[in-house]
Amino acid sequence: MPKKSRQTTALFKGGEVLSTNAGPLRMDVLVVKGVITRVGEGVATPEECEVVDCSGRLLIPGMFDLHVHACEPGREDREDIGSASAAALAGGITGMQIMPDTSPVIDGGGLVQGILDSAAKKSGIEVIPAGAVTRGRAGEELSGIAGMKARGVRMLTDADQPVANPLVLRRAMEYARDIGMTIGSHCETRELSGDGCVHEGARSYQLGLPGLPAISEEICLYRDVRLAQFTNCPIHVQQVSTMDSMKAVEFFKAQGVRVTCEVSPHHLIFSQDHLVDYNTLLKVNPPLRPAADREALVEGLIAGTIDCIATDHHPHTEFEKNLPFWEAPYGITGLETAVLSLYHHLVKPGLLGWDVLIRAFSSRPREILGLDPIGIEEGRVANFFIFDPTATTSFAPNSFRSRSQNTPFVGKELDGAIVRTICR
């Protein structure tokens, strides 16, 4: 019996096509062998073509996540590149940059090649490894930067570990500048953070938990961006969480500094007021801030002061997250829930437009890494997802593609549904 050939042509009919600068426009989209060949009204159906009815649905460019902890190698019980990629596809994310906080740390060319080899076998999306700034993320000696650059690394970051020594960071910036790389900065002054695990203020006192002050982030941010200004090195600030941090970025941008920054979905949706019953699923670093900060971050995203959205997808086992609040690890998984939670809490209520979301979560992250742009346009590789705004999605326990379920949306229902992701 002959094998059935894989269908290589698909016509997506009657969907509303969205982009950063147009839409929604009712269009048919024809994809042949992974390339968009026609976009328009009334596109004729070729022979041997899969026809997908997209009436009442949106066609949206695939998102790109700049900040993913994939946990491979070393903690595959939490996540690996294959499970992270599957979770991303389910969430409309078609590319991701994975953090180097693995075991061993991604701090040399050989380790980068191992990640790329694994991704080639396991991943259905684009995977770009980030490289560590310092060997072992220890903050003392520069990593094998040239070898990582040669294998496609575009950003250097010690992930959730700040580079405490400003001289080491300066030398890293000078090296990165000269070979065309960006420094990613986790802004935290550990001496100020201490044992803090929630935002320092009235809420931390009510909960009886040690506070993590906003100045821990803000002082380190000012230092790192000022170093970038001095060295003329591009810097990307990870996980901005306070109004004053955002204002500092705005100030330095006005001075011509090559600085970009990101915000997480959870800092756009939640505030410290949501911390009740010591729920470790909301324990993150930087911590959830007061409502005024959350509102300012949304406004900064709309204005473009904040460049992009990144999930900081950080998987942990159920056992780890069931520890007492002050002992449980920081982190939320976000690959599967980011688009839906942002739609549910911000887009559908009219607080955020699809154009802002696409700019911040699709086009701008790719620009920051110097990747080719994508779009639902003729001649481009097909890279989009189908979204149903009238449906709902339930995140039942054990229904996730990710190996970990440490998200406040577990057991919840969100408006909207990602019907299908077209990538590669």
Side-chain angles (χ1 to χ4, degrees):
M1 189 173 183
K3 276 187 176 181
K4 290 184 179 179
S5 62
R6 184 179 177 182
Q7 190 65 267
T8 59
T9 302
L11 179 62
F12 300 89
K13 288 187 67 69
E16 303 285 336
V17 176
L18 298 182
S19 69
T20 54
N21 51 21
L25 299 173
R26 190 177 179 86
M27 297 280 192
D28 299 337
V29 178
L30 180 63
V31 176
V32 180
K33 295 182 178 179
V35 176
I36 299 171
T37 59
R38 287 290 308 280
V39 178
E41 297 182 72
V43 175
T45 305
E47 295 182 4
E48 298 185 8
C49 174
E50 177 191 4
V51 178
V52 182
D53 183 7
C54 297
S55 300
R57 294 173 174 177
L58 308 177
L59 273 57
I60 302 172
M63 304 301 176
F64 190 100
D65 195 341
L66 276 176
H67 197 145
V68 174
H69 300 265
C71 305
E72 179 185 343
R75 285 304 306 265
E76 288 84 352
D77 57 322
R78 292 174 173 172
E79 195 81 283
D80 68 11
I81 291 171
S83 60
S85 298
L89 277 170
I93 295 169
T94 57
M96 62 183 179
Q97 178 178 241
I98 57 177
M99 293 294 101
D101 57 333
T102 49
S103 183
V105 171
I106 304 170
D107 59 6
L111 290 156
V112 171
Q113 190 60 52
I115 295 296
L116 295 174
D117 292 344
S118 181
K121 295 175 184 176
K122 298 177 181 179
S123 178
I125 67 173
E126 185 174 21
V127 174
I128 307 287
V133 178
T134 62
R135 290 205 181 275
R137 301 193 304 134
E140 298 173 357
E141 178 186 358
L142 294 187
S143 62
I145 294 174
M148 295 190 290
K149 166 73 173 178
R151 287 168 174 81
V153 169
R154 295 162 186 259
M155 184 180 291
L156 300 170
T157 173
D158 276 355
D160 53 6
Q161 180 74 27
V163 180
N165 188 326
L167 179 60
V168 172
L169 184 56
R170 174 189 174 180
R171 298 305 182 211
M173 286 181 172
E174 291 168 339
Y175 199 166
R177 174 202 64 205
D178 290 345
I179 62 174
M181 300 181 79
T182 297
I183 294 289
S185 176
H186 171 80
C187 294
E188 182 180 359
T189 310
R190 287 285 168 85
E191 293 84 356
L192 288 169
S193 297
D195 295 326
C197 55
V198 295
H199 175 75
E200 182 178 288
R203 196 71 177 156
S204 64
Y205 301 140
Q206 290 168 2
L207 294 169
L209 294 170
L212 204 164
I215 56 169
S216 171
E217 173 182 322
E218 293 156 2
I219 288 173
C220 186
L221 185 149
Y222 192 93
R223 184 204 72 165
D224 288 5
V225 182
R226 181 69 182 88
L227 277 170
Q229 181 181 36
F230 180 78
T231 59
N232 193 30
C233 175
I235 184 171
H236 179 72
V237 179
Q238 299 169 313
Q239 300 299 298
V240 166
S241 72
T242 78
M243 184 189 311
D244 285 341
S245 286
M246 186 184 68
K247 288 180 178 178
V249 170
E250 185 176 33
F251 168 80
F252 280 111
K253 282 187 174 187
Q255 303 302 309
V257 181
R258 294 190 286 171
V259 55
T260 55
C261 66
E262 70 188 37
V263 66
S264 71
H266 45 269
H267 285 107
L268 292 171
I269 293 169
F270 299 109
S271 73
Q272 64 174 1
D273 297 335
H274 292 90
L275 278 171
V276 294
D277 299 329
Y278 301 93
N279 182 2
T280 61
L281 297 178
L282 288 172
K283 184 182 179 182
V284 287
N285 187 10
L288 299 178
R289 304 296 189 182
D293 287 293
R294 186 200 67 78
E295 293 164 6
L297 295 175
V298 173
E299 292 172 4
L301 184 69
I302 294 169
T305 302
I306 296 175
D307 295 88
C308 58
I309 296 168
T311 65
D312 191 16
H313 175 83
H314 212 313
H316 295 290
T317 64
E318 184 178 3
F319 171 79
E320 289 169 318
K321 275 295 190 178
N322 279 336
L323 291 169
F325 194 95
W326 53 91
E327 294 181 24
Y330 296 106
I332 286 176
T333 55
L335 288 169
E336 287 168 85
T337 61
V339 170
L340 290 168
S341 61
L342 290 166
Y343 173 75
H344 179 99
H345 289 278
L346 297 176
V347 176
K348 187 174 181 179
L351 301 174
L352 198 71
W354 273 114
D355 58 334
V356 174
L357 185 56
I358 294 168
R359 181 196 75 209
F361 206 6
S362 179
S363 60
R364 192 71 179 112
R366 290 180 167 93
E367 288 174 4
I368 288 169
L369 289 186
L371 302 175
D372 292 336
I374 68 165
I376 306 175
E377 304 166 359
E378 292 181 6
R380 293 201 183 276
V381 172
N383 189 332
F384 59 90
F385 63 93
I386 303 169
F387 185 84
D388 186 347
T390 66
T392 58
T393 300
S394 297
F395 289 100
N398 302 315
S399 67
F400 290 78
R401 277 76 166 182
S402 172
R403 290 185 178 175
S404 298
Q405 303 178 34
N406 51 297
T407 166
F409 299 112
V410 66
K412 301 292 196 305
E413 184 175 85
L414 295 174
D415 292 323
I418 294 169
V419 178
R420 178 172 173 179
T421 303
I422 295 87
C423 178
R424 296 189 173 181

